[in-house]
Amino acid sequence: MDAWKKLLAESYDEKNIEKALTKFHLSTKEIEEIKKVGAAYPLRVNPYYLGLIKKKGDAVWKQCIADEQELKDTEGLSDPLHEEEQSPVPGLIHRYPDRVLFLCSNQCSMYCRFCTRKRRVGHPDREISLSQIMKGIDYIKNHKEIRDVILSGGDPLMLSNDKLEFILKQIRAIKHVQIIRIGTRMPCALPQRITKKLCRMLAKYHPLYINTHFNHPQEITKESINACSMLADAGIALGNQSVLLKGVNDNPKIMKELVQKLLIMRVKPYYLYQADIVKGTRHFRTEISKGLEIIHSLQGFTSGMAVPHYVIDAPGGGGKIPLLPTYLIGEKKDRKSGKTTIVLKNYEGKTYEYPLP
Ligand SMILES: *Cc1c(COP(=O)(O)O)cnc(C)c1O
Ligand code: SF4
Protein backbone atom coordinates (compact mmCIF):
# COMPACT_ATOMS: atom_id res chain seq x y z
CA MET A 1 0.00 0.00 0.00
CA ASP A 2 1.23 3.51 -0.77
CA ALA A 3 2.37 5.40 2.33
CA TRP A 4 -0.27 8.09 1.82
CA LYS A 5 -3.10 5.56 1.67
CA LYS A 6 -1.91 4.01 4.89
CA LEU A 7 -1.75 7.41 6.62
CA LEU A 8 -5.20 8.24 5.32
CA ALA A 9 -6.60 4.96 6.58
CA GLU A 10 -5.13 5.75 10.01
CA SER A 11 -6.92 9.11 10.18
CA TYR A 12 -8.89 10.05 13.27
CA ASP A 13 -12.54 11.08 13.19
CA GLU A 14 -15.29 12.00 15.66
CA LYS A 15 -15.42 8.40 16.88
CA ASN A 16 -11.80 8.03 17.95
CA ILE A 17 -10.37 11.54 18.13
CA GLU A 18 -9.49 11.04 21.83
CA LYS A 19 -6.77 8.59 20.73
CA ALA A 20 -5.17 11.31 18.63
CA LEU A 21 -5.09 13.77 21.49
CA THR A 22 -3.93 11.69 24.46
CA LYS A 23 -0.66 13.59 24.84
CA PHE A 24 -2.55 16.86 25.29
CA HIS A 25 -4.40 15.58 28.40
CA LEU A 26 -7.83 16.94 27.57
CA SER A 27 -10.69 16.63 30.05
CA THR A 28 -13.59 14.29 29.27
CA LYS A 29 -15.73 17.36 28.74
CA GLU A 30 -13.32 18.78 26.15
CA ILE A 31 -13.27 15.47 24.29
CA GLU A 32 -17.07 15.30 24.38
CA GLU A 33 -17.27 18.82 22.91
CA ILE A 34 -14.95 17.92 20.05
CA LYS A 35 -16.99 14.81 19.30
CA LYS A 36 -20.25 16.72 19.41
CA VAL A 37 -18.97 19.26 16.88
CA GLY A 38 -17.46 16.43 14.82
CA ALA A 39 -20.91 14.89 14.54
CA ALA A 40 -22.29 18.15 13.14
CA TYR A 41 -19.40 18.97 10.79
CA PRO A 42 -17.04 16.35 9.40
CA LEU A 43 -13.88 15.74 11.41
CA ARG A 44 -10.82 14.05 9.97
CA VAL A 45 -7.17 14.47 10.90
CA ASN A 46 -4.55 12.26 9.34
CA PRO A 47 -1.52 11.27 11.48
CA TYR A 48 0.88 13.39 9.40
CA TYR A 49 -1.03 16.65 9.85
CA LEU A 50 -1.76 15.76 13.48
CA GLY A 51 1.99 15.47 14.00
CA LEU A 52 2.45 19.14 13.08
CA ILE A 53 0.62 20.24 16.23
CA LYS A 54 3.17 21.51 18.74
CA LYS A 55 0.79 22.44 21.49
CA LYS A 56 -2.90 22.52 22.30
CA GLY A 57 -4.67 25.39 20.56
CA ASP A 58 -1.79 26.33 18.24
CA ALA A 59 -2.13 27.35 14.57
CA VAL A 60 -2.25 23.77 13.30
CA TRP A 61 -4.60 22.59 16.04
CA LYS A 62 -7.08 25.38 15.30
CA GLN A 63 -7.24 24.35 11.64
CA CYS A 64 -8.05 20.69 12.25
CA ILE A 65 -9.51 20.13 15.72
CA ALA A 66 -13.23 20.86 16.07
CA ASP A 67 -14.15 23.76 18.34
CA GLU A 68 -17.39 24.28 20.24
CA GLN A 69 -17.59 27.78 18.74
CA GLU A 70 -18.54 26.19 15.41
CA LEU A 71 -21.96 25.32 16.83
CA LYS A 72 -22.49 28.82 18.21
CA ASP A 73 -22.26 30.63 14.89
CA THR A 74 -25.66 32.12 14.13
CA GLU A 75 -24.46 34.47 11.39
CA GLY A 76 -22.98 32.20 8.77
CA LEU A 77 -24.70 30.77 5.71
CA SER A 78 -24.29 27.29 4.32
CA ASP A 79 -23.47 28.54 0.80
CA PRO A 80 -22.56 32.23 1.02
CA LEU A 81 -21.01 32.33 -2.47
CA HIS A 82 -24.16 30.90 -4.11
CA GLU A 83 -22.11 28.11 -5.63
CA GLU A 84 -25.08 25.76 -5.94
CA GLU A 85 -27.06 28.40 -7.84
CA GLN A 86 -24.16 29.06 -10.19
CA SER A 87 -23.78 25.39 -11.08
CA PRO A 88 -25.36 24.68 -14.48
CA VAL A 89 -24.74 20.99 -13.78
CA PRO A 90 -24.14 19.69 -10.23
CA GLY A 91 -20.55 20.16 -9.11
CA LEU A 92 -19.51 22.54 -11.87
CA ILE A 93 -19.48 26.21 -10.96
CA HIS A 94 -19.51 28.57 -13.92
CA ARG A 95 -19.22 32.05 -12.46
CA TYR A 96 -16.64 33.75 -14.66
CA PRO A 97 -16.75 34.14 -18.45
CA ASP A 98 -13.89 31.84 -19.46
CA ARG A 99 -13.28 29.34 -16.67
CA VAL A 100 -15.05 26.84 -14.45
CA LEU A 101 -14.51 25.24 -11.09
CA PHE A 102 -15.04 21.51 -11.41
CA LEU A 103 -15.65 19.69 -8.12
CA CYS A 104 -14.45 16.13 -8.59
CA SER A 105 -14.13 14.78 -5.05
CA ASN A 106 -15.92 15.70 -1.84
CA GLN A 107 -13.24 14.08 0.32
CA CYS A 108 -10.13 15.62 1.87
CA SER A 109 -7.18 14.23 3.77
CA MET A 110 -8.26 16.44 6.70
CA TYR A 111 -11.27 18.63 7.20
CA CYS A 112 -10.34 22.24 7.78
CA ARG A 113 -12.57 23.77 10.40
CA PHE A 114 -12.91 26.99 8.36
CA CYS A 115 -13.76 25.32 5.04
CA THR A 116 -15.97 27.30 2.66
CA ARG A 117 -17.54 24.06 1.47
CA LYS A 118 -18.37 22.77 4.95
CA ARG A 119 -21.84 22.10 3.52
CA ARG A 120 -20.60 19.37 1.22
CA VAL A 121 -17.08 18.12 1.96
CA GLY A 122 -16.96 14.84 3.83
CA HIS A 123 -20.74 14.30 3.74
CA PRO A 124 -21.52 10.78 2.50
CA ASP A 125 -24.65 12.05 0.72
CA ARG A 126 -22.60 14.54 -1.30
CA GLU A 127 -20.20 12.06 -2.85
CA ILE A 128 -19.46 12.72 -6.50
CA SER A 129 -20.49 9.99 -8.95
CA LEU A 130 -18.93 9.14 -12.27
CA SER A 131 -22.14 10.17 -14.00
CA GLN A 132 -21.91 13.62 -12.39
CA ILE A 133 -18.31 13.93 -13.59
CA MET A 134 -19.35 12.94 -17.11
CA LYS A 135 -22.04 15.62 -17.08
CA GLY A 136 -19.45 18.20 -16.07
CA ILE A 137 -17.14 17.12 -18.87
CA ASP A 138 -20.01 17.33 -21.36
CA TYR A 139 -20.81 20.84 -20.20
CA ILE A 140 -17.19 21.90 -20.72
CA LYS A 141 -17.22 20.27 -24.17
CA ASN A 142 -20.36 22.19 -25.12
CA HIS A 143 -19.10 25.57 -23.94
CA LYS A 144 -16.36 26.82 -26.20
CA GLU A 145 -15.77 29.89 -24.05
CA ILE A 146 -14.22 27.71 -21.30
CA ARG A 147 -10.46 27.91 -21.69
CA ASP A 148 -9.46 27.20 -18.07
CA VAL A 149 -10.71 24.29 -15.97
CA ILE A 150 -9.97 24.19 -12.26
CA LEU A 151 -10.31 20.80 -10.60
CA SER A 152 -11.37 21.34 -7.03
CA GLY A 153 -13.44 19.66 -4.34
CA GLY A 154 -12.90 18.57 -1.65
CA ASP A 155 -9.50 17.54 -2.82
CA PRO A 156 -9.04 16.13 -6.36
CA LEU A 157 -5.91 14.30 -5.17
CA MET A 158 -8.12 12.11 -2.99
CA LEU A 159 -8.96 10.34 -6.25
CA SER A 160 -6.76 7.45 -7.31
CA ASN A 161 -4.18 8.23 -9.99
CA ASP A 162 -6.29 6.28 -12.48
CA LYS A 163 -9.51 8.17 -11.78
CA LEU A 164 -7.74 11.49 -11.83
CA GLU A 165 -5.99 10.62 -15.08
CA PHE A 166 -9.32 9.61 -16.61
CA ILE A 167 -10.68 13.10 -15.87
CA LEU A 168 -7.52 14.90 -17.02
CA LYS A 169 -7.44 12.94 -20.25
CA GLN A 170 -11.05 13.80 -21.08
CA ILE A 171 -10.52 17.48 -20.36
CA ARG A 172 -7.22 17.62 -22.26
CA ALA A 173 -8.98 16.17 -25.30
CA ILE A 174 -11.25 19.24 -25.47
CA LYS A 175 -9.71 21.60 -28.01
CA HIS A 176 -10.83 24.89 -26.49
CA VAL A 177 -9.47 24.09 -22.99
CA GLN A 178 -6.09 25.82 -22.82
CA ILE A 179 -5.03 25.30 -19.23
CA ILE A 180 -5.92 22.94 -16.41
CA ARG A 181 -5.49 23.79 -12.78
CA ILE A 182 -5.76 21.58 -9.70
CA GLY A 183 -6.58 22.99 -6.28
CA THR A 184 -5.26 20.65 -3.60
CA ARG A 185 -4.20 20.80 0.01
CA MET A 186 -2.17 17.58 -0.26
CA PRO A 187 1.32 19.17 -0.43
CA CYS A 188 0.50 20.70 2.96
CA ALA A 189 -1.89 18.26 4.63
CA LEU A 190 -0.62 14.90 3.34
CA PRO A 191 2.53 15.49 1.25
CA GLN A 192 3.14 11.74 0.94
CA ARG A 193 0.36 11.84 -1.70
CA ILE A 194 2.84 13.45 -4.10
CA THR A 195 4.59 10.40 -5.50
CA LYS A 196 6.88 9.99 -8.49
CA LYS A 197 4.14 8.05 -10.22
CA LEU A 198 1.61 10.84 -9.70
CA CYS A 199 4.08 13.44 -11.01
CA ARG A 200 4.82 11.37 -14.11
CA MET A 201 1.11 11.09 -14.80
CA LEU A 202 0.39 14.79 -14.24
CA ALA A 203 3.24 15.86 -16.51
CA LYS A 204 1.38 14.32 -19.47
CA TYR A 205 -1.35 16.94 -19.22
CA HIS A 206 0.54 20.23 -19.43
CA PRO A 207 0.00 23.16 -19.30
CA LEU A 208 -0.97 22.24 -15.75
CA TYR A 209 -0.98 24.47 -12.68
CA ILE A 210 -1.40 23.46 -9.06
CA ASN A 211 -2.61 25.78 -6.36
CA THR A 212 -2.02 24.46 -2.92
CA HIS A 213 -3.08 25.69 0.49
CA PHE A 214 -0.61 26.53 3.26
CA ASN A 215 -1.74 28.90 6.00
CA HIS A 216 1.12 28.88 8.48
CA PRO A 217 4.92 28.38 8.45
CA GLN A 218 4.51 25.49 10.91
CA GLU A 219 3.01 23.54 7.98
CA ILE A 220 6.22 23.79 6.00
CA THR A 221 8.24 20.67 6.71
CA LYS A 222 10.83 18.56 4.93
CA GLU A 223 7.98 16.38 3.63
CA SER A 224 6.06 19.32 2.17
CA ILE A 225 9.23 20.83 0.71
CA ASN A 226 9.93 17.50 -0.95
CA ALA A 227 6.38 17.26 -2.33
CA CYS A 228 6.55 20.75 -3.83
CA SER A 229 9.99 20.08 -5.34
CA MET A 230 8.70 16.96 -7.05
CA LEU A 231 5.74 18.83 -8.53
CA ALA A 232 7.92 21.74 -9.63
CA ASP A 233 10.43 19.33 -11.17
CA ALA A 234 7.54 17.84 -13.14
CA GLY A 235 7.18 21.30 -14.69
CA ILE A 236 4.07 22.25 -12.77
CA ALA A 237 3.79 25.91 -11.80
CA LEU A 238 2.81 26.12 -8.15
CA GLY A 239 0.72 28.76 -6.40
CA ASN A 240 -0.64 29.04 -2.88
CA GLN A 241 -4.02 30.15 -1.61
CA SER A 242 -4.18 31.04 2.08
CA VAL A 243 -7.18 31.95 4.14
CA LEU A 244 -6.79 34.76 6.64
CA LEU A 245 -7.70 33.13 9.95
CA LYS A 246 -8.01 34.71 13.36
CA GLY A 247 -5.58 33.18 15.82
CA VAL A 248 -3.79 31.28 13.05
CA ASN A 249 -2.13 33.68 10.64
CA ASP A 250 -3.65 37.13 11.24
CA ASN A 251 -0.23 38.53 11.91
CA PRO A 252 2.19 40.30 9.54
CA LYS A 253 5.25 38.56 10.98
CA ILE A 254 3.77 35.08 10.53
CA MET A 255 2.56 35.87 7.02
CA LYS A 256 5.92 37.25 5.99
CA GLU A 257 7.65 34.10 7.17
CA LEU A 258 5.04 31.98 5.35
CA VAL A 259 5.30 33.74 1.98
CA GLN A 260 9.09 33.77 2.06
CA LYS A 261 9.22 30.06 2.88
CA LEU A 262 6.72 29.33 0.09
CA LEU A 263 8.98 31.00 -2.45
CA ILE A 264 11.93 28.93 -1.24
CA MET A 265 9.98 25.82 -2.18
CA ARG A 266 9.02 27.32 -5.56
CA VAL A 267 5.44 28.10 -4.61
CA LYS A 268 4.21 31.58 -5.56
CA PRO A 269 1.77 33.12 -3.05
CA TYR A 270 -1.35 33.69 -5.16
CA TYR A 271 -4.35 34.61 -3.02
CA LEU A 272 -4.96 35.59 0.56
CA TYR A 273 -8.68 35.15 1.15
CA GLN A 274 -10.78 37.08 3.58
CA ALA A 275 -12.68 34.26 5.34
CA ASP A 276 -16.10 33.64 3.80
CA ILE A 277 -19.34 34.03 5.79
CA VAL A 278 -19.70 30.27 6.19
CA LYS A 279 -21.83 28.84 8.96
CA GLY A 280 -19.65 27.42 11.71
CA THR A 281 -16.61 29.58 11.00
CA ARG A 282 -17.50 32.91 12.65
CA HIS A 283 -14.66 32.63 15.17
CA PHE A 284 -12.06 32.64 12.35
CA ARG A 285 -13.13 35.89 10.71
CA THR A 286 -10.94 38.95 11.06
CA GLU A 287 -11.33 42.64 10.35
CA ILE A 288 -10.49 43.80 6.81
CA SER A 289 -7.94 46.17 8.32
CA LYS A 290 -5.92 43.10 9.38
CA GLY A 291 -5.62 41.81 5.80
CA LEU A 292 -4.69 45.26 4.54
CA GLU A 293 -2.09 45.60 7.28
CA ILE A 294 -0.55 42.28 6.19
CA ILE A 295 -0.39 43.28 2.52
CA HIS A 296 1.06 46.64 3.49
CA SER A 297 3.71 44.91 5.61
CA LEU A 298 4.79 42.79 2.62
CA GLN A 299 4.60 45.14 -0.38
CA GLY A 300 8.00 46.78 -0.79
CA PHE A 301 9.39 45.24 2.39
CA THR A 302 9.98 41.87 0.74
CA SER A 303 10.10 40.35 -2.78
CA GLY A 304 7.16 41.44 -4.90
CA MET A 305 6.87 37.75 -5.86
CA ALA A 306 5.92 37.03 -2.25
CA VAL A 307 2.88 39.30 -2.13
CA PRO A 308 -0.46 37.54 -2.68
CA HIS A 309 -3.64 39.23 -3.90
CA TYR A 310 -5.85 39.89 -0.87
CA VAL A 311 -9.43 39.20 -1.96
CA ILE A 312 -12.97 38.94 -0.69
CA ASP A 313 -15.04 36.37 -2.50
CA ALA A 314 -18.23 38.41 -2.77
CA PRO A 315 -21.21 36.96 -0.89
CA GLY A 316 -23.91 36.14 -3.41
CA GLY A 317 -21.51 34.90 -6.09
CA GLY A 318 -19.95 38.14 -7.35
CA GLY A 319 -16.52 36.61 -7.56
CA LYS A 320 -13.21 37.63 -6.03
CA ILE A 321 -12.75 41.32 -5.36
CA PRO A 322 -9.19 42.54 -4.67
CA LEU A 323 -8.46 44.80 -1.72
CA LEU A 324 -5.35 46.94 -1.60
CA PRO A 325 -3.91 49.40 0.86
CA THR A 326 -4.19 52.95 -0.51
CA TYR A 327 -1.04 54.21 -2.20
CA LEU A 328 -2.68 56.86 -4.37
CA ILE A 329 -3.40 59.63 -1.90
CA GLY A 330 -4.51 62.51 -4.09
CA GLU A 331 -3.89 64.75 -7.03
CA LYS A 332 -2.96 68.38 -7.64
CA LYS A 333 -3.90 70.58 -10.53
CA ASP A 334 -1.63 73.42 -11.60
CA ARG A 335 -3.87 76.46 -12.25
CA LYS A 336 -1.59 78.02 -14.88
CA SER A 337 -0.56 75.03 -16.99
CA GLY A 338 -3.69 72.95 -16.29
CA LYS A 339 -1.44 69.96 -15.65
CA THR A 340 -2.23 67.32 -13.05
CA THR A 341 0.19 65.71 -10.65
CA ILE A 342 -0.78 62.67 -8.65
CA VAL A 343 0.40 62.21 -5.10
CA LEU A 344 1.55 58.77 -4.03
CA LYS A 345 2.72 57.16 -0.84
CA ASN A 346 5.48 54.55 -1.01
CA TYR A 347 5.77 51.47 1.19
CA GLU A 348 7.61 53.45 3.85
CA GLY A 349 4.91 56.13 3.94
CA LYS A 350 7.02 58.76 2.14
CA THR A 351 5.19 60.99 -0.30
CA TYR A 352 6.06 61.16 -4.00
CA GLU A 353 4.57 63.05 -6.91
CA TYR A 354 4.11 61.89 -10.45
CA PRO A 355 3.23 64.49 -13.10
CA LEU A 356 0.71 63.20 -15.63
CA PRO A 357 1.43 63.76 -19.31
C1 LIG B 1 -11.76 31.27 -7.56
C2 LIG B 1 -12.63 30.78 -8.61
C3 LIG B 1 -12.16 30.66 -9.92
C4 LIG B 1 -10.74 31.00 -10.32
O1 LIG B 1 -10.49 32.34 -10.17
P1 LIG B 1 -9.06 32.93 -10.61
O2 LIG B 1 -9.12 34.34 -10.13
O3 LIG B 1 -8.99 32.80 -12.08
O4 LIG B 1 -8.02 32.11 -9.92
C5 LIG B 1 -13.03 30.22 -10.87
N1 LIG B 1 -14.31 29.93 -10.58
C6 LIG B 1 -14.79 30.03 -9.33
C7 LIG B 1 -16.20 29.69 -9.06
C8 LIG B 1 -13.96 30.46 -8.30
O5 LIG B 1 -14.42 30.55 -7.05
S1 SF4 C 1 -8.71 20.94 2.10
FE1 SF4 C 1 -9.89 22.60 1.14
S2 SF4 C 1 -11.85 21.68 0.58
FE2 SF4 C 1 -10.85 20.28 2.04
S3 SF4 C 1 -11.66 20.87 4.05
FE3 SF4 C 1 -9.74 22.02 3.72
S4 SF4 C 1 -10.39 23.98 2.84
FE4 SF4 C 1 -12.12 22.54 2.61
Side-chain angles (χ1 to χ4, degrees):
M1 202 198 270
D2 289 335
W4 73 273
K5 287 189 184 152
K6 191 160 175 289
L7 284 164
L8 198 60
E10 289 166 358
S11 293
Y12 300 91
D13 62 17
E14 73 283 1
K15 292 189 201 76
N16 64 358
I17 189 71
E18 70 276 10
K19 291 201 185 106
L21 302 175
T22 45
K23 71 173 184 187
F24 300 106
H25 309 292
L26 301 190
S27 67
T28 321
K29 187 164 165 283
E30 284 173 308
I31 293 285
E32 285 313 311
E33 280 294 346
I34 293 171
K35 291 189 160 194
K36 196 168 104 193
V37 181
Y41 294 112
L43 178 69
R44 172 184 284 160
V45 202
N46 70 63
Y48 168 79
Y49 196 78
L50 181 77
L52 304 183
I53 297 175
K54 286 192 185 140
K55 58 176 201 278
K56 182 183 162 190
D58 73 9
V60 173
W61 174 294
K62 285 200 172 93
Q63 293 186 65
C64 63
I65 305 297
D67 189 306
E68 55 178 339
Q69 293 180 84
E70 292 175 42
L71 298 178
K72 294 182 181 150
D73 177 4
T74 52
E75 267 174 36
L77 306 167
S78 88
D79 180 17
L81 309 179
H82 290 194
E83 292 189 327
E84 309 286 340
E85 247 167 72
Q86 293 181 337
S87 300
V89 298
L92 188 123
I93 309 160
H94 195 179
R95 172 177 300 150
Y96 293 106
D98 66 344
R99 55 204 187 281
V100 290
L101 202 70
F102 191 9
L103 310 182
C104 45
S105 161
N106 88 326
Q107 299 281 315
C108 298
S109 63
M110 63 173 284
Y111 291 117
C112 309
R113 307 320 302 166
F114 51 84
C115 180
T116 290
R117 301 205 183 98
K118 251 173 133 76
R119 69 179 184 285
R120 55 188 306 158
V121 297
H123 293 282
D125 57 337
R126 296 302 297 261
E127 260 168 50
I128 296 172
S129 64
L130 179 63
S131 91
Q132 177 170 326
I133 296 221
M134 294 315 293
K135 282 185 193 133
I137 291 171
D138 272 341
Y139 180 89
I140 300 168
K141 265 186 205 155
N142 294 329
H143 288 260
K144 291 219 160 61
E145 70 276 19
I146 299 169
R147 42 161 291 288
D148 176 2
V149 176
I150 303 153
L151 302 185
S152 182
D155 198 318
L157 293 190
M158 285 294 282
L159 298 173
S160 67
N161 290 357
D162 287 349
K163 282 196 181 137
L164 183 62
E165 177 158 24
F166 172 81
I167 297 172
L168 288 170
K169 196 181 256 170
Q170 305 273 325
I171 295 173
R172 204 17 105 214
I174 304 172
K175 286 268 175 356
H176 53 268
V177 174
Q178 299 171 349
I179 63 169
I180 302 174
R181 298 192 250 176
I182 298 176
T184 172
R185 208 175 179 192
M186 288 292 187
C188 169
L190 186 59
Q192 293 79 358
R193 173 67 184 97
I194 312 305
T195 59
K196 283 207 183 83
K197 216 168 158 191
L198 174 72
C199 292
R200 271 200 302 276
M201 186 277 279
L202 293 175
K204 292 195 266 174
Y205 299 95
H206 277 307
L208 185 74
Y209 291 75
I210 287 185
N211 280 319
T212 183
H213 177 176
F214 288 85
N215 290 323
H216 193 279
Q218 204 170 312
E219 296 169 334
I220 297 182
T221 61
K222 68 178 191 319
E223 289 88 349
S224 55
I225 292 170
N226 185 46
C228 292
S229 308
M230 286 167 70
L231 291 168
D233 287 345
I236 300 166
L238 301 173
N240 185 66
Q241 318 198 121
S242 296
V243 185
L244 182 56
L245 299 167
K246 189 183 267 176
V248 173
N249 59 8
D250 59 336
N251 172 310
K253 215 171 134 247
I254 290 172
M255 282 305 291
K256 188 191 252 180
E257 186 186 341
L258 174 67
V259 295
Q260 290 176 340
K261 288 193 166 159
L262 286 169
L263 284 184
I264 299 172
M265 52 182 198
R266 291 186 278 172
V267 178
K268 160 86 183 78
Y270 178 41
Y271 280 133
L272 173 63
Y273 290 100
Q274 175 68 18
D276 293 324
I277 323 257
V278 178
K279 197 168 180 67
T281 67
R282 170 79 184 82
H283 56 295
F284 284 115
R285 286 202 286 284
T286 63
E287 302 288 329
I288 292 297
S289 56
K290 188 49 80 178
L292 292 172
E293 180 195 345
I294 288 168
I295 298 300
H296 191 271
S297 77
L298 298 174
Q299 183 68 53
F301 290 98
T302 189
S303 316
M305 287 285 291
V307 187
H309 302 286
Y310 174 42
V311 295
I312 294 193
D313 220 332
K320 300 174 181 72
I321 301 174
L323 300 173
L324 265 177
T326 313
Y327 294 100
L328 177 60
I329 56 179
E331 55 176 53
K332 296 196 235 171
K333 208 160 187 153
D334 187 82
R335 279 270 190 74
K336 268 192 221 143
S337 65
K339 281 204 168 181
T340 303
T341 297
I342 59 165
V343 185
L344 302 158
K345 199 177 68 180
N346 83 343
Y347 69 100
E348 300 164 304
K350 292 185 192 150
T351 306
Y352 292 86
E353 297 189 351
Y354 177 91
L356 296 178

